[in-house]
Amino acid sequence: MNFIRVAIQILGLIALFETGNWLSANLHLPIPGGILGMGILFLLLSTGIVHDQLFARGASILLKYLSFLFLPLSVSAIVLIPFMDLYGWRLLFVLITSSFIGFVATSIPAVYAIRKGRASHELDR
């Protein structure tokens, strides 16, 4: 039963991602679908339409394996090896910096959410 609940939560997050992709493609917006999907999720959570516990378990599993989700970025860097002769250290700098920014931009809200969750649980006791 727990597996099914987590699978449904992950499918809900995927549905938000795909909704963002659909909006981006059909409205010809210059914003990536993933960003629109996160914006939709943010609006749903901040307005109280969706409670944060609805996606909590599925999101925690995705966050647990976040480094594997960035694997396509690493694989695509291998395709760029011929460009290393042309651009060398500048390309390497951009790849490392963008990866670092992605990890930091993901970890700061995650740590904040975890701390906020702990504080609210301590107040409930």
Side-chain angles (χ1 to χ4, degrees):
M1 186 64 174
N2 191 27
F3 173 77
I4 294 172
R5 182 175 294 144
V6 170
I8 290 171
Q9 290 177 3
I10 292 174
L11 286 174
L13 292 170
I14 292 171
L16 288 170
F17 170 76
E18 290 299 331
T19 301
N21 283 335
W22 183 85
L23 287 171
S24 178
N26 290 324
L27 298 177
H28 306 291
L29 298 173
I31 303 170
I35 301 297
L36 287 175
M38 283 192 295
I40 294 168
L41 179 60
F42 177 74
L43 288 173
L44 291 173
L45 290 171
S46 63
T47 58
I49 295 172
V50 172
H51 195 271
D52 62 339
Q53 293 300 315
L54 185 64
F55 293 116
R57 303 271 288 184
S60 69
I61 287 177
L62 292 177
L63 288 172
K64 182 178 180 182
Y65 298 107
L66 186 66
S67 61
F68 294 116
L69 298 176
F70 280 104
L71 188 62
L73 177 67
S74 303
V75 172
S76 65
I78 293 172
V79 175
L80 298 175
I81 288 177
F83 294 104
M84 290 301 281
D85 290 337
L86 296 172
Y87 302 107
W89 65 270
R90 291 178 285 184
L91 183 60
L92 188 61
F93 175 75
V94 168
L95 289 173
I96 291 172
T97 304
S98 63
S99 297
F100 180 75
I101 290 171
F103 285 127
V104 169
T106 305
S107 64
I108 289 173
V111 168
Y112 174 75
I114 290 169
R115 287 182 181 163
K116 185 177 178 184
R118 285 184 187 159
S120 67
H121 287 298
E122 288 174 3
L123 292 175
D124 290 341
R125 290 182 189 178

